[in-house]
Amino acid sequence: MATFPLPSRPPAAHLALDLQRRLAPAAPFLVLLAAWQALSLSGLFPAQVLVPPTGVAHALWQLAESGELTRHLGESLSRLLLGFTAGALAGLAFGTTIALSRVAEAVASPLFLTLWQVPVIAFVPVLILFLGIDNPFKITVVAVAAFFPVALATFDAVRSVPRGHFEVARVYRVPLTALVRRVLVPATLPAVLVGLRIALTRAWVVLVAAELLAADSGVGQMMEMGRQMFQIGVVMAGVLVSGLVGFVLDRAARAAEARATRWRRA
Amino acid sequence: MSGRRPLSRPARFALGVVPMLAVLAWWQRQAAAGGSGGIAFASLGDIARAAGEQIANGALQTDAVATLSHALIGLAIGATLGLATGIAMALSAWAERLLGPLLQALRQVPMIGWLPLIALWFGTGEQSQIIVVVMAAFFPAMLNAHAGVGQVEKRLIEVGHVFGLTWGQRLRLILLPAALPMLLTGLTQALAFAWIAAIGTEILMGSGAGLGVTLQVAQTQQRLDLVFVSVAATAVLGFLLNHSIRRLRAWLLHWQPAGI
């Protein structure tokens, strides 16, 4: 059948096909946006209830122009950074310790596993009672949310380093700092990075929830204020921003992961 | 690395009890001293009494049933939709192209982030709470079903073609059993997410009954004893839910070689 060669496509058609393939994923969005705009302009629902996409864009623009968006986003991100750093460092230290010492594991793991059964969000009312509703509370919530995944990933990673590695290091009398830097870190890095990424995205979710509940600024608070003042455009802009931040954090962490473990694929 | 010798069971148990007792003792001392930093520490006796009261007047049971029903109704709807969508996307390139990018985009928003919007549209009642739980349960079920059915070995599918099975038979006899481990992983994750979402929506919306509602009300009333009773109930129920689905998974997958 296919004995004679297929005619090669003219370049213009090729380009059009390429463009079509690239734009195809966007098509459902465009259809949805158009349907949404049409529905909100049709007057079936009150304009305040079903804000059209243009209305959301307008709200976002106003928030950006007045500096509100930068302020809220900046507050949220600085809380995230502080809380995540504290929680992740504590998780790394805790996970490594209970993985290396049987005594430390026996002492700490029952309490750790008990607390782990509680959803982080249920700690929110407890922490509010102890810390109030200001920044210390929000940073602590983020730290708690980041601590558990990092501690578990670190524990698993350090535990699964082959015993032989440590024995060789002992035979060669490798000092502790070199042991950590040249044996422990390379062997555990991939798994720990996955734990850090999961912790980062969870921390963001918990922070938005905490800000919804109690804050004077932040992306969550921006949405909550929008809700109380019945500005659905602002609420939707907040949904959009929190989704974008979550997406960017996840992608950045994945990129860092790929960079840091490049040597593995070589 | 001095502790490489395995510890005996009683020694491990004794060591594990120490920090818990230490925390309890410290707590009791704070309560006896009348608290610090303006916090009224509830004594262990107070907490036990609050637990007894909550059980005696049935409030704890009502809350537990309400939270469980929010979580399980949401799970049933969300996981069913998620499994169906994931399977459809794995089997049909058309469904994948239509829904894939859209769902990936929606997935980026923290589930709790939808809450203010849903509260505006549907109020702060049970309906809104269940909608958020449905969304929380949907995505893990969908992602795992998509991956699980997509990863079924080609040769198994070809066997189905050779035997001339109909579409429904292929799905029932080949695709679903082969994808079952991943489908159950999806269900396990969906349950965990649904549980967290149920508690979270109750805390944030704070209407009706539920462990989260009581938690939130107790916090505003500075009733630390009640807060702890609710948190403990949350932990115990969460543990039991997780444990049951693990047992279900092991039972359904008993035909599989261990270690999967």
Side-chain angles (χ1 to χ4, degrees):
Chain A
M1 265 241 329
T3 43
F4 40 109
L6 290 163
S8 64
R9 234 183 239 111
H14 192 78
L15 203 72
L17 198 75
D18 196 45
L19 204 66
Q20 193 187 346
R21 200 172 295 140
R22 272 161 195 274
L23 290 181
F29 286 102
L30 295 177
V31 172
L32 193 79
L33 280 180
W36 174 10
Q37 182 84 29
L39 193 67
S40 40
L41 293 183
S42 71
L44 272 172
F45 300 95
Q48 294 103 322
V49 173
L50 194 68
V51 176
T54 46
V56 178
H58 182 68
L60 200 59
W61 173 249
Q62 277 190 331
L63 285 168
E65 209 178 28
S66 64
E68 286 281 284
L69 187 65
T70 328
R71 185 172 70 88
H72 289 303
L73 199 57
E75 282 284 329
S76 289
L77 289 179
S78 74
R79 284 169 193 152
L80 183 74
L81 185 70
L82 283 171
F84 176 76
T85 309
L89 287 177
L92 282 171
F94 180 80
T96 313
T97 312
I98 62 169
L100 290 180
S101 153
R102 307 255 164 188
V103 175
E105 189 200 352
V107 169
S109 66
L111 189 61
F112 174 77
L113 291 175
T114 308
L115 290 177
W116 191 47
Q117 298 303 325
V118 183
V120 175
I121 189 117
F123 281 124
V124 166
V126 183
L127 290 172
I128 289 181
L129 275 180
F130 280 96
L131 299 169
I133 59 165
D134 293 333
N135 264 340
F137 152 67
K138 270 155 273 172
I139 292 167
T140 309
V141 167
V142 172
V144 170
F147 172 79
F148 284 95
V150 174
L152 280 172
T154 311
F155 173 75
D156 281 340
V158 175
R159 244 320 138 72
S160 56
V161 175
R163 285 278 295 281
H165 286 23
F166 291 116
E167 276 159 18
V168 169
R170 202 175 311 159
V171 168
Y172 282 93
R173 293 174 187 278
V174 177
L176 186 67
T177 49
L179 178 75
V180 169
R181 209 157 45 84
R182 309 214 14 209
V183 179
L184 209 54
V185 170
T188 55
L189 196 62
V192 170
L193 285 174
V194 172
L196 285 171
R197 170 163 58 80
I198 292 170
L200 186 63
T201 43
R202 288 219 184 134
W204 175 244
V205 173
V206 170
L207 176 63
V208 172
E211 286 177 347
L212 280 176
L213 199 63
D216 46 13
S217 61
V219 175
Q221 174 58 19
M222 188 178 93
M223 284 195 270
E224 179 58 21
M225 283 306 288
R227 184 182 78 84
Q228 285 174 14
M229 289 152 69
F230 214 80
Q231 298 176 321
I232 292 196
V234 174
V235 177
M236 289 188 125
V239 170
L240 201 69
V241 169
S242 66
L244 262 178
V245 171
F247 177 74
V248 169
L249 288 175
D250 184 66
R251 279 303 143 103
R254 276 176 202 274
E257 227 173 283
R259 263 187 81 89
T261 54
R262 225 175 355 189
W263 52 272
R264 292 201 119 210
R265 285 188 304 276
Chain B
M1 250 140 293
S2 54
R4 273 295 172 196
R5 277 167 285 111
L7 297 162
S8 67
R9 271 183 86 95
R12 263 210 318 260
F13 180 76
L15 284 171
V17 169
V18 169
M20 299 214 191
L21 289 179
V23 169
L24 292 181
W26 171 80
W27 186 270
Q28 195 67 0
R29 256 181 67 106
Q30 293 287 326
S36 64
I39 304 153
F41 276 79
S43 72
L44 299 177
D46 289 344
I47 297 174
R49 213 166 303 126
E53 263 169 36
Q54 289 289 101
I55 293 171
N57 66 20
L60 192 65
Q61 292 89 320
T62 314
D63 281 346
V65 169
T67 306
L68 278 173
S69 74
H70 293 157
L72 294 179
I73 293 171
L75 175 74
I77 303 171
T80 309
L81 289 176
L83 291 177
T85 312
I87 292 170
M89 279 167 61
L91 295 180
S92 142
W94 186 80
E96 159 96 62
R97 234 171 288 150
L98 186 71
L99 296 173
L102 191 65
L103 291 176
Q104 285 297 338
L106 289 178
R107 195 165 75 88
Q108 306 303 328
V109 180
M111 275 320 125
I112 306 270
W114 292 105
L115 214 73
L117 191 61
I118 287 169
L120 277 175
W121 277 340
F122 301 99
T124 54
E126 248 181 338
Q127 195 189 1
S128 296
Q129 297 178 0
I130 289 174
I131 290 173
V132 176
V133 178
V134 166
M135 288 166 63
F138 174 85
F139 285 100
M142 184 272 285
L143 290 171
N144 281 288
H146 184 213
V149 174
Q151 278 166 14
V152 173
E153 286 180 56
K154 283 281 171 293
R155 57 191 177 118
L156 294 180
I157 297 168
E158 279 160 18
V159 169
H161 282 291
V162 170
F163 277 86
L165 300 184
T166 64
W167 188 85
Q169 283 172 325
R170 282 211 305 276
L171 188 67
R172 194 162 48 81
L173 298 174
I174 296 174
L175 287 171
L176 289 185
L180 191 61
M182 285 289 270
L183 299 183
L184 288 171
T185 302
L187 203 61
T188 310
Q189 290 178 7
L191 175 65
F193 276 66
W195 181 244
I196 293 169
I199 307 274
T201 50
E202 285 173 1
I203 291 177
L204 289 162
M205 289 182 174
S207 66
L211 292 168
V213 178
T214 303
L215 199 54
Q216 175 60 16
V217 171
Q219 180 243 307
T220 53
Q221 295 174 348
Q222 303 261 320
R223 288 278 310 273
L224 205 55
D225 50 344
L226 214 50
V227 167
F228 274 95
V229 173
S230 306
V231 170
T234 309
V236 171
L237 283 175
F239 175 80
L240 288 178
L241 283 176
N242 201 7
H243 185 71
S244 342
I245 200 153
R246 270 170 207 277
R247 290 290 294 272
L248 177 72
R249 182 192 163 91
W251 180 72
L252 282 172
L253 294 180
H254 65 93
W255 49 274
Q256 280 215 332
I260 289 186

Coordinates of all heavy atoms in Angstrom, one line a residue, chain A residues 186-245:
Chain A
P186 N 24.1 13.3 50.2 CA 23.9 12.7 48.9 C 22.9 11.5 48.9 O 22.1 11.4 48.0 CB 25.2 12.3 48.4 CG 26.2 13.0 49.3 CD 25.5 13.2 50.6
A187 N 23.0 10.7 49.9 CA 22.1 9.5 49.9 C 20.7 9.8 50.2 O 19.8 9.1 49.7 CB 22.7 8.5 50.9
T188 N 20.4 10.9 50.9 CA 19.0 11.2 51.3 C 18.4 12.3 50.5 O 17.2 12.5 50.7 CB 19.0 11.5 52.8 OG1 19.9 12.6 53.0 CG2 19.4 10.3 53.7
L189 N 19.2 13.0 49.8 CA 18.7 14.3 49.2 C 17.4 14.1 48.3 O 16.5 14.8 48.5 CB 19.8 14.9 48.3 CG 19.5 16.3 47.9 CD1 19.5 17.2 49.1 CD2 20.6 16.8 47.0
P190 N 17.3 13.1 47.4 CA 16.1 13.0 46.6 C 14.8 12.9 47.4 O 13.9 13.6 47.2 CB 16.4 11.8 45.7 CG 17.9 11.6 45.7 CD 18.3 12.1 47.1
A191 N 14.9 11.9 48.4 CA 13.7 11.7 49.2 C 13.3 12.9 50.0 O 12.2 13.3 50.2 CB 13.8 10.5 50.0
V192 N 14.4 13.6 50.6 CA 14.1 14.7 51.4 C 13.5 15.9 50.6 O 12.6 16.6 51.1 CB 15.4 15.1 52.2 CG1 15.3 16.5 52.8 CG2 15.9 14.1 53.2
L193 N 14.0 16.0 49.4 CA 13.5 17.1 48.6 C 12.0 16.9 48.2 O 11.3 17.9 48.2 CB 14.3 17.2 47.3 CG 15.7 17.9 47.5 CD1 16.5 17.8 46.2 CD2 15.6 19.3 47.9
V194 N 11.6 15.7 48.0 CA 10.2 15.4 47.8 C 9.4 15.8 49.0 O 8.4 16.5 48.9 CB 10.0 13.9 47.4 CG1 8.5 13.6 47.4 CG2 10.6 13.6 46.1
G195 N 9.9 15.4 50.2 CA 9.3 15.8 51.5 C 9.2 17.3 51.6 O 8.1 17.8 52.0
L196 N 10.2 18.0 51.2 CA 10.2 19.5 51.4 C 9.2 20.1 50.4 O 8.5 21.0 50.8 CB 11.6 20.1 51.0 CG 12.7 19.9 52.1 CD1 14.0 20.3 51.6 CD2 12.3 20.7 53.3
R197 N 9.1 19.5 49.2 CA 8.1 20.1 48.3 C 6.7 19.9 48.8 O 5.9 20.8 48.7 CB 8.3 19.4 46.9 CG 7.2 19.7 45.9 CD 7.6 19.4 44.5 NE 7.9 18.0 44.3 CZ 7.0 17.0 44.2 NH1 5.7 17.2 44.2 NH2 7.4 15.8 44.0
I198 N 6.4 18.7 49.3 CA 5.0 18.4 49.8 C 4.8 19.3 51.0 O 3.7 19.9 51.1 CB 4.9 16.9 50.2 CG1 5.0 16.1 48.9 CG2 3.6 16.7 51.0 CD1 5.1 14.6 49.2
A199 N 5.8 19.5 51.8 CA 5.6 20.4 53.0 C 5.3 21.8 52.5 O 4.5 22.5 53.1 CB 6.9 20.4 53.8
L200 N 6.0 22.3 51.5 CA 5.8 23.7 51.0 C 4.4 23.9 50.5 O 3.7 24.9 50.9 CB 6.8 24.0 49.9 CG 6.9 25.4 49.4 CD1 7.3 26.3 50.5 CD2 7.8 25.5 48.2
T201 N 3.9 23.0 49.7 CA 2.5 23.2 49.2 C 1.5 23.0 50.3 O 0.5 23.8 50.4 CB 2.2 22.2 48.1 OG1 2.6 20.9 48.4 CG2 2.8 22.6 46.8
R202 N 1.7 22.1 51.3 CA 0.8 22.0 52.4 C 0.8 23.2 53.3 O -0.2 23.7 53.7 CB 1.1 20.8 53.3 CG 0.8 19.5 52.6 CD 0.3 18.5 53.6 NE 0.1 17.3 52.8 CZ 0.5 16.1 53.2 NH1 1.0 15.9 54.4 NH2 0.3 15.1 52.5
A203 N 2.0 23.8 53.5 CA 2.2 24.9 54.3 C 1.4 26.1 53.7 O 0.7 26.9 54.4 CB 3.6 25.3 54.5
W204 N 1.4 26.2 52.4 CA 0.6 27.3 51.7 C -0.9 27.1 52.0 O -1.6 28.1 52.3 CB 1.0 27.3 50.3 CG 0.2 28.3 49.5 CD1 -0.7 28.0 48.5 CD2 0.2 29.7 49.6 NE1 -1.3 29.2 48.0 CE2 -0.7 30.2 48.7 CE3 0.8 30.6 50.4 CZ2 -1.0 31.6 48.5 CZ3 0.6 32.0 50.3 CH2 -0.3 32.4 49.4
V205 N -1.4 25.9 51.8 CA -2.8 25.6 52.0 C -3.2 26.0 53.4 O -4.2 26.7 53.7 CB -3.1 24.1 51.8 CG1 -4.6 23.8 52.2 CG2 -2.8 23.8 50.3
V206 N -2.4 25.6 54.4 CA -2.7 25.8 55.8 C -2.7 27.3 56.1 O -3.5 27.9 56.9 CB -1.8 25.0 56.7 CG1 -2.0 25.4 58.2 CG2 -2.1 23.5 56.6
L207 N -1.7 28.0 55.5 CA -1.6 29.5 55.8 C -2.8 30.2 55.3 O -3.4 31.1 56.0 CB -0.3 30.0 55.1 CG -0.1 31.5 55.2 CD1 0.0 31.9 56.7 CD2 1.0 32.0 54.4
V208 N -3.3 29.8 54.0 CA -4.5 30.5 53.5 C -5.6 30.3 54.4 O -6.4 31.2 54.7 CB -4.8 30.0 52.1 CG1 -6.1 30.5 51.6 CG2 -3.7 30.5 51.1
A209 N -5.8 29.0 54.9 CA -6.9 28.7 55.8 C -6.8 29.5 57.1 O -7.7 30.1 57.6 CB -6.9 27.2 56.2
A210 N -5.6 29.6 57.7 CA -5.4 30.4 58.9 C -5.7 31.9 58.7 O -6.3 32.5 59.6 CB -3.9 30.2 59.4
E211 N -5.3 32.4 57.5 CA -5.6 33.8 57.2 C -7.1 34.0 57.0 O -7.6 35.1 57.4 CB -4.8 34.2 56.0 CG -3.3 34.4 56.3 CD -2.6 34.8 55.0 OE1 -3.1 34.7 53.9 OE2 -1.4 35.2 55.1
L212 N -7.8 33.0 56.5 CA -9.2 33.2 56.3 C -9.9 33.3 57.7 O -10.8 34.1 57.9 CB -9.8 31.9 55.7 CG -9.7 31.7 54.2 CD1 -10.3 30.4 53.8 CD2 -10.5 32.8 53.5
L213 N -9.3 32.6 58.7 CA -9.9 32.5 60.0 C -9.6 33.8 60.8 O -10.4 34.3 61.5 CB -9.5 31.3 60.7 CG -10.3 30.8 61.9 CD1 -11.7 30.5 61.4 CD2 -9.7 29.6 62.5
A214 N -8.3 34.2 60.8 CA -7.9 35.2 61.7 C -6.7 35.9 61.1 O -5.6 35.4 61.1 CB -7.5 34.6 63.0
A215 N -6.9 37.1 60.6 CA -5.7 37.9 60.1 C -6.2 39.3 59.8 O -7.4 39.6 59.7 CB -5.1 37.3 58.9
D216 N -5.2 40.2 59.7 CA -5.5 41.6 59.3 C -5.0 41.8 57.9 O -5.2 42.8 57.3 CB -5.0 42.6 60.3 CG -3.6 42.3 60.7 OD1 -2.9 41.5 60.0 OD2 -3.1 42.9 61.7
S217 N -4.2 40.8 57.4 CA -3.7 41.0 56.0 C -3.3 39.6 55.5 O -3.4 38.6 56.3 CB -2.4 41.8 56.1 OG -1.4 41.2 56.9
G218 N -3.0 39.5 54.3 CA -2.7 38.2 53.6 C -3.7 37.9 52.6 O -4.8 38.4 52.6
V219 N -3.4 36.9 51.7 CA -4.3 36.6 50.6 C -5.6 36.0 51.2 O -6.7 36.3 50.7 CB -3.6 35.6 49.7 CG1 -4.5 35.1 48.6 CG2 -2.3 36.2 49.1
G220 N -5.5 35.2 52.2 CA -6.7 34.6 52.8 C -7.6 35.7 53.4 O -8.8 35.7 53.2
Q221 N -7.0 36.6 54.0 CA -7.8 37.7 54.6 C -8.4 38.6 53.5 O -9.6 39.0 53.7 CB -6.9 38.6 55.5 CG -7.5 39.8 56.1 CD -8.7 39.5 56.9 OE1 -8.9 38.4 57.3 NE2 -9.6 40.5 57.0
M222 N -7.7 38.8 52.4 CA -8.2 39.5 51.3 C -9.5 38.9 50.8 O -10.5 39.5 50.6 CB -7.2 39.5 50.2 CG -7.5 40.4 49.0 SD -6.1 40.3 47.8 CE -6.7 39.1 46.8
M223 N -9.5 37.5 50.7 CA -10.7 36.8 50.3 C -11.8 36.9 51.3 O -13.0 37.1 51.0 CB -10.4 35.3 50.1 CG -9.6 35.1 48.8 SD -9.7 33.3 48.5 CE -8.2 32.8 49.3
E224 N -11.5 36.8 52.6 CA -12.5 36.8 53.7 C -13.1 38.2 53.7 O -14.3 38.3 53.9 CB -11.8 36.5 55.0 CG -12.7 36.5 56.2 CD -13.9 35.6 56.1 OE1 -13.8 34.6 55.3 OE2 -14.9 35.8 56.8
M225 N -12.3 39.3 53.5 CA -12.9 40.6 53.5 C -13.8 40.8 52.3 O -14.9 41.3 52.4 CB -11.8 41.7 53.4 CG -11.1 42.0 54.7 SD -12.2 42.4 56.0 CE -12.7 44.0 55.5
G226 N -13.4 40.2 51.2 CA -14.2 40.3 50.0 C -15.6 39.6 50.2 O -16.6 40.0 49.8
R227 N -15.5 38.4 50.9 CA -16.7 37.7 51.2 C -17.7 38.5 52.1 O -18.8 38.6 51.9 CB -16.4 36.4 51.9 CG -17.6 35.5 52.2 CD -17.2 34.2 52.9 NE -17.1 34.4 54.3 CZ -18.0 34.5 55.2 NH1 -19.3 34.3 54.8 NH2 -17.8 34.6 56.5
Q228 N -17.1 39.1 53.2 CA -17.9 39.9 54.1 C -18.5 41.1 53.4 O -19.6 41.5 53.8 CB -17.1 40.3 55.3 CG -16.8 39.1 56.3 CD -15.9 39.4 57.4 OE1 -15.6 40.6 57.7 NE2 -15.4 38.4 58.1
M229 N -17.8 41.7 52.5 CA -18.3 42.9 51.8 C -19.1 42.5 50.5 O -19.4 43.4 49.7 CB -17.2 43.9 51.6 CG -16.7 44.5 52.9 SD -15.1 45.0 52.8 CE -15.2 46.4 51.7
F230 N -19.3 41.2 50.3 CA -20.0 40.7 49.1 C -19.4 41.2 47.8 O -20.1 41.5 46.9 CB -21.5 41.1 49.2 CG -22.4 40.1 48.6 CD1 -22.7 38.9 49.3 CD2 -22.8 40.2 47.3 CE1 -23.5 38.0 48.8 CE2 -23.6 39.2 46.7 CZ -24.0 38.1 47.5
Q231 N -18.0 41.2 47.8 CA -17.4 41.6 46.5 C -16.8 40.3 45.9 O -15.7 39.9 46.2 CB -16.2 42.5 46.8 CG -16.6 43.8 47.4 CD -15.5 44.7 47.7 OE1 -14.5 44.2 48.2 NE2 -15.6 46.0 47.5
I232 N -17.7 39.6 45.1 CA -17.3 38.3 44.6 C -16.1 38.4 43.7 O -15.3 37.5 43.6 CB -18.5 37.6 43.9 CG1 -19.5 37.3 45.0 CG2 -18.1 36.3 43.2 CD1 -20.5 36.3 44.7
G233 N -16.0 39.5 43.0 CA -14.8 39.7 42.1 C -13.5 39.6 42.9 O -12.5 39.0 42.5
V234 N -13.5 40.3 44.1 CA -12.3 40.2 44.9 C -12.0 38.8 45.4 O -10.9 38.3 45.4 CB -12.4 41.2 46.2 CG1 -11.2 41.0 47.1 CG2 -12.5 42.6 45.7
V235 N -13.1 38.1 45.8 CA -13.0 36.7 46.3 C -12.4 35.8 45.2 O -11.4 35.1 45.4 CB -14.3 36.1 46.7 CG1 -14.2 34.7 47.1 CG2 -14.9 36.9 47.9
M236 N -12.9 36.0 44.0 CA -12.4 35.2 42.8 C -11.0 35.5 42.5 O -10.2 34.7 42.1 CB -13.3 35.3 41.6 CG -14.7 34.7 41.8 SD -15.6 34.7 40.3 CE -15.9 33.0 40.2
A237 N -10.7 36.8 42.6 CA -9.3 37.2 42.4 C -8.4 36.5 43.4 O -7.3 36.1 43.0 CB -9.1 38.7 42.5
G238 N -8.8 36.4 44.6 CA -8.1 35.7 45.7 C -7.9 34.3 45.4 O -6.8 33.7 45.6
V239 N -9.0 33.6 44.9 CA -8.9 32.2 44.5 C -7.8 32.0 43.4 O -7.0 31.2 43.5 CB -10.2 31.7 44.0 CG1 -10.1 30.3 43.4 CG2 -11.3 31.7 45.1
L240 N -7.9 33.0 42.5 CA -6.9 32.9 41.3 C -5.5 33.1 41.8 O -4.6 32.3 41.5 CB -7.3 34.0 40.4 CG -6.8 33.9 38.9 CD1 -7.5 32.8 38.2 CD2 -7.0 35.2 38.2
V241 N -5.3 34.1 42.7 CA -3.9 34.3 43.2 C -3.4 33.2 44.1 O -2.3 32.7 43.9 CB -3.9 35.7 44.0 CG1 -2.6 35.8 44.7 CG2 -4.1 36.8 43.1
S242 N -4.3 32.6 44.9 CA -3.8 31.5 45.8 C -3.5 30.3 45.0 O -2.5 29.6 45.3 CB -4.8 31.2 46.9 OG -6.0 30.7 46.4
G243 N -4.3 30.1 43.9 CA -4.0 29.0 43.0 C -2.6 29.2 42.3 O -1.8 28.2 42.2
L244 N -2.4 30.4 41.8 CA -1.2 30.7 41.1 C 0.0 30.5 42.0 O 1.0 29.9 41.6 CB -1.2 32.1 40.6 CG -1.7 32.3 39.1 CD1 -1.7 33.8 38.8 CD2 -0.7 31.6 38.2
V245 N -0.1 31.0 43.2 CA 1.0 30.9 44.1 C 1.3 29.4 44.4 O 2.5 29.0 44.4 CB 0.8 31.7 45.5 CG1 1.8 31.4 46.5 CG2 0.7 33.2 45.2

